[in-house]
């Protein structure tokens, strides 16, 4: 098989990455693979089955902000200089000779988890639970917020003529799709979505497409609830009153849905009080499905769960979602462009993160771009 590579003109600027560290600093500097190696590479020096991708668009995730501000999410701790970012799409610029399904010029979305392919979870298709998972942007594995990355071809999904921005947004869509599938949301289900951040809003789009009704979405921020009403006019919105007890908050949530208790609550914040609100809101025999990431230990209303036979279920990332996500975007079933509020060049990544981390900015989804042409 012949080796393929992009033209030298495609690789013109130094590779840079967006870093944080244990001191919570944030900066942009040169990184690997470096420019000289990229220009000289014809692909044969890549690991077998790998490709080089020029990253064109990357979304800032809440976990990126958390690693920057807090330096950790549970046991995942920033202990050294660390590159952020795991929501990315770009164009293939070089391939190893063993790769036969991708070639330079192919537009791809990058699935950021590297798995062992040997453990029970991998072999049964639930590879998000891989015992040796290396998830890009989760310490100590560097992320995708760079100009160029090397990545296994199997985790580079072709997106055809889809925009790079939509390709990057396939990652948060995958989070929502995994929640939809495992929670079992069905046509006509009454659904509560807790949290109107990017994941909550994409979950709202999915519930709308699935025919759930009524749909109620909650948040502490009025601006985000206005966005929810814009993208799904039939959704009921409830601004959380943090001074209320979970039982009183739940009563108001149910009232906003004309007294219909949700069969399923999709909890997208990971906040203890929000989880409690969801538990007190759902009907007998209902389900609270937690998508959000929270603190290591949490108190929950155990007897409410017990006496109401409420299932409390959790999600960790996703598996086997990219093909479905691509189809949903290509066919116009899910439109995530309306969630993008800010765009920055990678050189201005610090400003991008400051904007994303400031609720007063009105930011929903902040994207970082590299020489976007389409």
């Amino acid at each position: 098989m012949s080796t393929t590579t992009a033209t030298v003109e495609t690789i013109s600027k130094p590779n840079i990455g967006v870093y944080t560290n244990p001191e919570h600093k944030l900066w942009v500097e040169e990184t690997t693979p470096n420019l000289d190696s990229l220009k000289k590479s014809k692909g044969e020096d890549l690991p077998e089955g790998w490709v080089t991708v020029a990253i064109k668009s990357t979304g800032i995730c809440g976990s990126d902000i958390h690693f920057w501000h807090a330096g950790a999410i549970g046991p995942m701790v920033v202990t050294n200089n660390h590159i952020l970012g795991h929501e990315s799409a770009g164009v293939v610029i070089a391939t190893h000779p063993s790769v036969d399904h991708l070639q330079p010029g192919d537009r791809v979305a990058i699935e950021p988890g590297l798995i062992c392919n040997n453990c029970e979870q991998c072999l049964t298709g639930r590879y998000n639970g891989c015992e040796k998972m290396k998830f890009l942007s989760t310490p100590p594995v560097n992320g995708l917020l760079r100009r160029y990355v090397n990545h296994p071809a199997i985790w580079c999904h072709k997106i055809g003529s889809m925009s790079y921005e939509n390709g990057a947004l396939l990652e948060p869509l995958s989070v929502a799709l995994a929640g939809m599938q495992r929670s079992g949301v069905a046509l006509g289900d009454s659904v509560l979505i807790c949290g109107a951040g990017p994941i909550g809003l994409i979950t709202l789009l999915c519930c709308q497409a699935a025919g759930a009704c009524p749909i109620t979405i909650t948040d502490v921020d009025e601006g985000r609830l206005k966005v929810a009403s814009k993208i799904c006019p039939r959704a009921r919105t409830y601004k959380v009153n943090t001074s209320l007890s979970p039982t009183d908050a739940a009563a108001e949530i149910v009232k906003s849905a004309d007294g219909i208790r949700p069969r399923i609550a999709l909890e997208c914040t990971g906040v203890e009080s929000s989880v409690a609100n969801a538990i007190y809101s759902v009907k007998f025999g209902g389900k609270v499905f937690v998508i959000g990431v929270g603190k290591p230990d949490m108190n929950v209303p155990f007897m409410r769960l017990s006496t109401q036979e409420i299932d409390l279920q959790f999600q960790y990332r996703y598996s086997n979602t990219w093909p479905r996500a691509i189809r949903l975007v290509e066919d116009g079933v899910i439109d995530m462009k309306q969630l993008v509020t800010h765009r920055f060049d990678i050189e201005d990544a610090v400003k991008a993160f400051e904007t994303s981390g400031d609720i007063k900015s009105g930011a929903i989804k902040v994207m970082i771009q590299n020489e976007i042409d389409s």
Side-chain angles (χ1 to χ4, degrees), residues 36-201:
D36 286 343
S37 67
L38 288 165
K39 285 184 174 181
K40 294 175 183 176
S41 174
K42 297 184 183 299
E44 72 275 359
D45 53 346
L46 289 167
E48 184 175 352
W50 284 50
V51 299
T52 302
V53 179
I55 301 296
K56 294 296 185 180
S57 185
T58 300
I60 297 178
C61 176
S63 65
D64 294 318
I65 300 294
H66 209 76
F67 281 130
W68 168 35
H69 284 169
I73 297 177
M76 299 166 283
V77 181
V78 176
T79 59
N80 210 327
N81 292 351
H82 179 66
I83 299 176
L84 298 164
H86 58 267
E87 304 176 1
S88 297
V91 59
V92 174
I93 58 173
T95 68
H96 185 272
S98 60
V99 176
D100 59 7
H101 70 287
L102 291 176
Q103 60 184 2
D106 284 341
R107 302 160 74 98
V108 295
I110 298 178
E111 187 168 349
L114 308 182
I115 65 175
C116 73
N117 278 310
N118 290 314
C119 67
E120 178 182 353
Q121 289 84 349
C122 287
L123 296 176
T124 56
R126 299 187 66 181
Y127 57 81
N128 53 313
C130 174
E131 297 170 356
K132 298 180 180 179
M133 169 70 77
K134 294 180 180 179
F135 193 88
L136 276 66
S137 83
T138 296
V141 185
N142 281 324
L144 293 170
L145 257 173
R146 295 178 253 182
R147 280 204 178 104
Y148 310 104
V149 298
N150 298 327
H151 201 70
I154 193 173
W155 302 121
C156 295
H157 302 275
K158 286 185 181 182
I159 58 173
S161 61
M162 183 187 298
S163 72
Y164 293 120
E165 188 165 273
N166 272 341
L169 291 169
L170 293 172
E171 199 279 343
L173 176 56
S174 284
V175 174
L177 288 180
M180 294 289 290
Q181 184 175 27
R182 294 190 60 235
S183 66
V185 173
L187 185 68
D189 274 343
S190 52
V191 172
L192 167 65
I193 300 168
C194 299
I199 296 298
L201 291 171

